[in-house]
C-alpha cells in the first residue's frame, strides 16, 4: 500500500506527468461518481493502460490515497508561540475548513470507506493522515502541561479524540454540518476538564 | 432502502425462515470476508436465488442493514430515575460494549463504508441507528437542564457529538481501543463544561 517513490529503480521510471494525470483522473471520478472508481475508468480517463496503473499501485483506492495525501493539506503546524488552546483550536478549525471547503472531505470519506475492507489502506491513512495530526495536537497539550496550563493527569489520546472526533463523526455520518464555529465550540467544551485549576503562569503566557 | 415490512402485499409474502436465512448469510459473509458480500455469495450461502434477494432488498448492504438494525441492540433506554450523568455514561458504555463485543461493530463499519456511495443507506442508518440514540441522549440532557443540573445554554447537538463521537471515531479509524473505561472518561471530560455551576438541587436528585 505504500506509494511508490519516484526513485524506484525496478522497471521504467514512471513519468511524473503520467502519474499526475492518473491521480487527477482518479480524484475527478471519485468526486463525480461518489465512489472509488474502477481501474478501467481511471485508465480510460487518464489515457493510460490498466497495466500502467497496476504497475505502480495495488488499487485505485491507493491512487486516491496518494492524491489526497500529497495534494490536500491543512496547516497542522501552528506556532509554539501561540497559547496552547489557541493553537489547538486553529488546528481543529483548519481541519473543518479543509474537509468542508475542498474535495478532501469527500475523498477522505471514500478512502475511509475503502479502508473498511482494505487493512493496508487503513494503516496508510493512520500513518500518513491521522497520526501526524494527532502528534501535533499531543505536542501542544504537552507544552500546556509543561507550562502548568493543562492538567498533568489528562489522557492525551482521549483529549485528542474529544477535539477531533466530532469533526470526523460529522463527515462520516452527515448528521450535522461542519460549522464555522465548530472548532471553537469543541475547544470550549474540552477546556474546563483539562485546564489546570491553578495555573502558575498567566493563560496568555 | 426502507426494509420491506412483513405485511407487504405486493408479490408473495416472503417466508420468515427464508428472510432470516438471508440475513444470517449476509452477516456471516460480511464478518468472514471483511466486506459487503455480493448478491451471488449471499444467494448461494442462503440457498436462495438472486431473484429472491432482489425481490426484497435493493442491495446486500440493505440486507446487512436490516440484520444489524433488527438483531443488535444495546440498551439506550436508561431510566429517568437515574442521575443524568449516570444515564448518559451508561448509554455511551452500552454502545462501547456492543461495538466491541458483538459483530455489530464490524457490521456497522461495513455499512458506514457502503453508505459513502449509497446515500439512501446513509439515510437509513441515520434514521434508524444514530437518530434514536441521539434523541435518547438529548432527552437526558434536557431533563438535566430542567433540573438545573445542566447549563441551559449548551449546544445539545455538540454535547451529544462529544459524548459519542470518540466511540465511532475509534471504530472507524482503529487508532485506539474501545476501552472498558472509555464511557466514564468521556463523561468526565464533557461534564465540567456542561454542568450548571450552581445547581438548585443536589446532583443525586
Amino acid at each position: 500500500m505504500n506509494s511508490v517513490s519516484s526513485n524506484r529503480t525496478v522497471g521504467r521510471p514512471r513519468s511524473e506527468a503520467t502519474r499526475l494525470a492518473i491521480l487527477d483522473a482518479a480524484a475527478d471520478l471519485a468526486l463525480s461518481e461518489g465512489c472509488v472508481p474502477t481501474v478501467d475508468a481511471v485508465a480510460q480517463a487518464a489515457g493510460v493502460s490498466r497495466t500502467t496503473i497496476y504497475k505502480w499501485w495495488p488499487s485505485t483506492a491507493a491512487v486516491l490515497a496518494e492524491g489526497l495525501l500529497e495534494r490536500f493539506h491543512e496547516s497542522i503546524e501552528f506556532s509554539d508561540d501561540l497559547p496552547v488552546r489557541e493553537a489547538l483550536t486553529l488546528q481543529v478549525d483548519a481541519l473543518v475548513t479543509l474537509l468542508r471547503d475542498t474535495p478532501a472531505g469527500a475523498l477522505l470519506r471514500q478512502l475511509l470507506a475503502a479502508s473498511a475492507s482494505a487493512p493496508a489502506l487503513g494503516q496508510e491513512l493512520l500513518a500518513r493522515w491521522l497520526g501526524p495530526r494527532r502528534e501535533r495536537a499531543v505536542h501542544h497539550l504537552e507544552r500546556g502541561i509543561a507550562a502548568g496550563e493543562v492538567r498533568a493527569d489528562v489522557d492525551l489520546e482521549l483529549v485528542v479524540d474529544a477535539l477531533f472526533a466530532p469533526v470526523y463523526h460529522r463527515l462520516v455520518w452527515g448528521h450535522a454540518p461542519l460549522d464555522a464555529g465548530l472548532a471553537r465550540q469543541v475547544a470550549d467544551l474540552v477546556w474546563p476538564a483539562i485546564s489546570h485549576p491553578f495555573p502558575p503562569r498567566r493563560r496568555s503566557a
Side-chain angles (χ1 to χ4, degrees), chain A residues 6 8-16 55-56:
Chain A
S6 57
R8 172 169 165 164
T9 54
V10 177
R12 278 190 312 171
R14 64 180 164 178
S15 144
E16 181 65 6
K55 186 170 176 180
W56 300 106

Side-chain angles (χ1 to χ4, degrees), chain A residues 40-51:
Chain A
D40 284 332
V42 174
Q44 186 178 358
V48 301
S49 68
R50 288 168 55 94
T51 312

Side-chain angles (χ1 to χ4, degrees), chain A residues 104-169:
Chain A
L107 290 173
L108 183 61
R109 194 168 171 220
Q110 292 301 333
L111 286 168
L112 280 174
S115 77
S117 51
L121 177 64
Q123 288 303 314
E124 173 100 346
L125 291 174
L126 267 185
R128 295 185 58 197
W129 182 275
L130 200 66
R133 287 162 178 78
R134 292 180 69 86
E135 281 170 23
R136 274 313 281 178
V138 165
H139 162 77
H140 287 297
L141 289 168
E142 285 178 337
R143 71 180 179 86
I145 292 170
E149 294 174 55
V150 173
R151 298 167 59 111
D153 62 349
V154 295
D155 180 319
L156 295 171
E157 295 297 311
L158 181 80
V159 174
V160 175
D161 278 347
L163 288 167
F164 293 89
V167 181
Y168 292 110
H169 190 43

Side-chain angles (χ1 to χ4, degrees), chain A residues 24-39 41-42 60-61 63-64 105-114:
Chain A
D24 279 343
D28 288 348
L29 286 166
L31 293 168
S32 64
E33 295 177 3
C35 59
V36 177
T38 63
V39 170
V42 174
T60 51
V63 177
L64 284 180
L107 290 173
L108 183 61
R109 194 168 171 220
Q110 292 301 333
L111 286 168
L112 280 174

